[in-house]
Amino acid sequence: MTTAALSAALPMLALVTLTVLTVAALVAQPWWSEHRRARLWAQPFPAPWRRILRRRVPIVARLPLELQLRLKRLVQVFIAEKPFIGCQGQKITDDIRVTIAAQACLLLLGQARADCYPGLRQILVYPGSFVADRERPLGAGVMQAQRQTMSGESWTSGQVVLSWQDVVAGAADPDDGRNVTLHEFAHQIDQDSGVADGRPWRAGRATRRRWAIVMGQALERLRSEPSALIDAYGASDPAEFFAVVTEVFFERPAELAAEAPAVYDELVALYRVNPMRW
Ligand SMILES: [Zn+2]
């Protein structure tokens, strides 16, 4: 090959090499993730993490043993894969990682997959409640800037933002039906299908239709008659309704089943667990 022919062929060669490497990386990545998860699952759950679970997340001790084991495995994957970022000087410790991961993974106990929140990129942790600037629609396309104090937020770009003080308080009482971590991670499950619209992805058109009817009717009922069980904040919109009933489903299951049996059944089918049996 002449020098001129070689220099003409080089960019093509580089392009082919790059394409081959990209395809190889795409093919290898799921395999590598699976391999890493299998290795993590084989590792024993660290004793200090077990003590954090016992102290901070009392709901875990109620789970049947096989679900406790599954939860611990999911926590190991979650902590290995998801970066935690401290905000306003908050230091990130195992106490924070394990307490948040355990509650987040409670929502994944029934899923067949070994991964955790594929769309979630980071967990941002503030020491206490934080202030966020929001825009509120005033009508006729006019928006008003507003400052709000928040205990948690979930963004469609793959971030969950939490106040550590509120995370601890939410986990400490597993029977009050109030839990900011469950709430924000329910939004992440909802956002898995794109926007947060109170319709987490379900297979089957009939299943999706039934979900929409049951949840829509329950939301309308909450709007017309306040409930002592389901927080009025759930009446804001379908996304908040789903996040609020998720908190109640895990923390006051028997009461939810009595007050709104159809909603309870839909949540059993979605999360594939039945907290009333714990
Ligand atoms: Zn919310």
Side-chain angles (χ1 to χ4, degrees):
M1 198 181 278
T2 65
T3 316
L6 185 66
S7 57
L10 272 178
M12 181 55 81
L13 190 67
L15 187 68
V16 169
T17 310
L18 190 67
T19 309
V20 168
L21 286 176
T22 308
V23 170
L26 284 174
V27 170
Q29 208 215 0
W31 174 84
W32 174 242
S33 298
E34 282 310 308
H35 176 72
R36 200 187 44 201
R37 279 176 201 137
R39 252 189 22 226
L40 278 168
W41 279 48
Q43 281 171 15
F45 195 75
W49 291 14
R50 201 169 300 140
R51 286 194 287 275
I52 295 168
L53 285 184
R54 213 175 302 141
R55 195 175 75 243
R56 294 278 196 206
V57 199
I59 199 170
V60 175
R62 290 183 186 170
L63 303 177
L65 278 180
E66 75 273 11
L67 287 186
Q68 288 192 29
L69 186 65
R70 183 161 171 76
L71 186 81
K72 285 173 185 166
R73 287 172 165 174
L74 287 166
V75 166
Q76 283 172 294
V77 172
F78 189 102
I79 290 178
E81 294 187 352
K82 307 297 177 189
F84 285 72
I85 297 168
C87 305
Q88 272 175 4
Q90 178 64 54
K91 259 187 70 180
I92 297 299
T93 59
D94 277 357
D95 194 13
I96 289 180
R97 286 191 194 94
V98 173
T99 304
I100 293 175
Q103 297 176 83
C105 293
L106 202 61
L107 307 188
L108 307 180
L109 279 176
Q111 78 168 21
R113 306 187 325 239
D115 62 353
C116 302
Y117 299 98
L120 176 67
R121 289 160 52 209
Q122 287 145 351
I123 302 99
L124 281 69
V125 186
Y126 283 83
S129 51
F130 52 94
V131 172
D133 289 316
R134 284 285 160 278
E135 291 216 307
R136 195 169 64 98
L138 287 180
V142 182
M143 301 297 277
Q144 186 191 45
Q146 211 179 31
R147 306 211 102 186
Q148 275 182 335
T149 306
M150 325 271 295
S151 55
E153 265 197 306
S154 171
W155 301 343
T156 39
S157 49
Q159 281 84 10
V160 166
V161 191
L162 289 164
S163 142
W164 172 236
Q165 199 182 12
D166 290 280
V167 166
V168 170
D173 186 346
D175 299 310
D176 64 358
R178 305 276 181 271
N179 186 309
V180 68
T181 316
L182 298 182
H183 182 106
E184 301 310 335
F185 280 94
H187 281 317
Q188 279 294 308
I189 286 176
D190 189 4
Q191 286 159 349
D192 234 10
S193 55
V195 289
D197 56 3
R199 294 181 183 195
W201 188 84
R202 308 288 304 278
R205 196 187 299 178
T207 308
R208 287 194 291 272
R209 230 177 82 83
R210 198 187 55 230
W211 172 277
I213 292 170
V214 167
M215 295 310 223
Q217 285 173 348
L219 171 59
E220 285 315 314
R221 201 179 323 125
L222 182 64
R223 283 176 173 162
S224 58
E225 38 180 292
S227 154
L229 183 67
I230 305 170
D231 194 284
Y233 184 60
S236 319
D237 58 49
E240 294 309 337
F241 183 76
F242 168 59
V244 166
V245 291
T246 291
E247 296 175 68
V248 180
F249 176 71
F250 283 96
E251 294 205 342
R252 296 174 76 175
E255 289 151 275
L256 182 64
E259 184 174 308
V263 170
Y264 188 83
D265 289 347
E266 286 304 312
L267 293 171
V268 168
L270 173 74
Y271 288 117
R272 293 195 231 154
V273 287
N274 191 343
M276 250 201 308
R277 297 211 190 112
W278 300 346

